[in-house]
Structure formats: structure tokens, C-alpha cells
Amino acid sequence: MVLDVLKPHHPSTIELAGKLSGVDGVMGVNIGLYEVDQRTENIKITIEGDNIEYDVVKQELEKLGAVIHSIDEVAAGSLLVEEVETLQDR
């Protein structure tokens, strides 16, 4: 699952990753910083695991003052489907 998230400067991305990695079903978290302004940071969160519950992840982020802008990618099932370039991507 890939999320576009807006968060305050505190907690740090390190703290946020630690909290999310403790959510049931989450096996790994990767956070990339894309934009910073005076009060907030725009981040991309990639979460991997078995049986991730979106609502639980959303609640944890909201407790930390973050807001999900969008769900940018989701993968499900027992086989990972690789994305391929199409004419629309060019």
C-alpha cells in the first residue's frame, strides 16, 4: 500500500515509521519526504505486510496529526503483479 500523506514536523518520520511498523499485519514501512513547508511535510508511505487493515493505519496516522491525501497504490493477493508501461504512461 502506498499513501500520500501530509504530516506536521513532529513527530519525526522516524517516530512515524516506528509507530506504523507496530500496527498488526504491517511487516515493513518506508517513508520518503517530498516537500517541506513551515508547518508540514508531504510524505509518501509504503507499507508492506499480510492483511494490512487500512482503517487501523489511518487511525494511527490521525493520532499522530497526519492526514491521508490519497491511496496511490495497492497490491493484494498471493501473487505480486508487476506494473508495466502502457501508451498512456508515455
Side-chain angles (χ1 to χ4, degrees), residues 3 20 23 47 52-61:
L3 305 173
L20 290 175
V23 171
I47 302 172
I52 300 169
E53 292 189 42
Y54 170 76
D55 290 332
V56 176
V57 170
K58 182 180 175 187
Q59 287 173 2
E60 190 63 38
L61 287 168

Side-chain angles (χ1 to χ4, degrees), residues 55-72:
D55 290 332
V56 176
V57 170
K58 182 180 175 187
Q59 287 173 2
E60 190 63 38
L61 287 168
E62 289 173 349
K63 282 188 220 174
L64 299 167
V67 177
I68 297 173
H69 279 170
S70 62
I71 301 170
D72 291 352

Side-chain angles (χ1 to χ4, degrees), residues 3-90:
L3 305 173
D4 178 8
V5 174
L6 183 70
K7 69 174 259 332
H9 292 298
H10 299 286
S12 70
T13 54
I14 294 168
E15 293 172 282
L16 188 66
K19 292 284 187 183
L20 290 175
S21 68
V23 171
D24 286 340
V26 174
M27 297 175 73
V29 175
N30 182 2
I31 299 178
L33 178 64
Y34 286 90
E35 187 176 346
V36 177
D37 68 20
Q38 285 185 328
R39 297 183 190 166
T40 60
E41 299 172 355
N42 191 9
I43 58 176
K44 177 174 130 181
I45 303 175
T46 304
I47 302 172
E48 290 194 18
D50 296 326
N51 200 24
I52 300 169
E53 292 189 42
Y54 170 76
D55 290 332
V56 176
V57 170
K58 182 180 175 187
Q59 287 173 2
E60 190 63 38
L61 287 168
E62 289 173 349
K63 282 188 220 174
L64 299 167
V67 177
I68 297 173
H69 279 170
S70 62
I71 301 170
D72 291 352
E73 188 173 340
V74 175
S78 59
L79 175 67
L80 180 61
V81 179
E82 294 294 329
E83 190 173 337
V84 296
E85 186 175 318
T86 63
L87 291 175
Q88 292 90 342
D89 297 326
R90 295 182 188 163

